[in-house]
Amino acid sequence: MSGQGSGGNVIAALCNIFVPGLGQLVQGRILAALLFFVICAVGYALWWLIIPAIIAAIAHLWAIIDAAKFRARL
């Protein structure tokens, strides 16, 4: 992948819209992908408690932005 704003980052951000963490997985960041997915899945599963759902929504947004702004270190 190239730098920030590259086509790969756009694809990763779009993947994250549908499945939290999928964009990080596309970028090869397995631990970040797992972390974002678990936080969002648990938070959305506990939606009736309100606070976990809000935390999950924030983590979901963070995952999208993180994938879009990712820069690979050389």
Side-chain angles (χ1 to χ4, degrees):
M1 308 251 170
S2 296
Q4 177 180 351
S6 71
N9 286 359
V10 172
I11 291 170
L14 289 173
C15 289
N16 265 334
I17 290 172
F18 299 106
V19 178
L22 184 59
Q24 282 77 12
L25 194 62
V26 167
Q27 292 171 332
R29 301 186 297 149
I30 297 170
L31 187 60
L34 189 61
L35 184 69
F36 280 123
F37 180 77
V38 168
I39 290 171
C40 290
V42 169
Y44 288 145
L46 299 173
W47 63 270
W48 68 88
L49 295 175
I50 306 299
I51 299 299
I54 292 171
I55 293 170
I58 291 169
H60 198 160
L61 263 169
W62 184 10
I64 295 167
I65 293 168
D66 179 62
K69 292 187 167 234
F70 176 70
R71 271 191 241 182
R73 293 191 178 143
L74 299 176

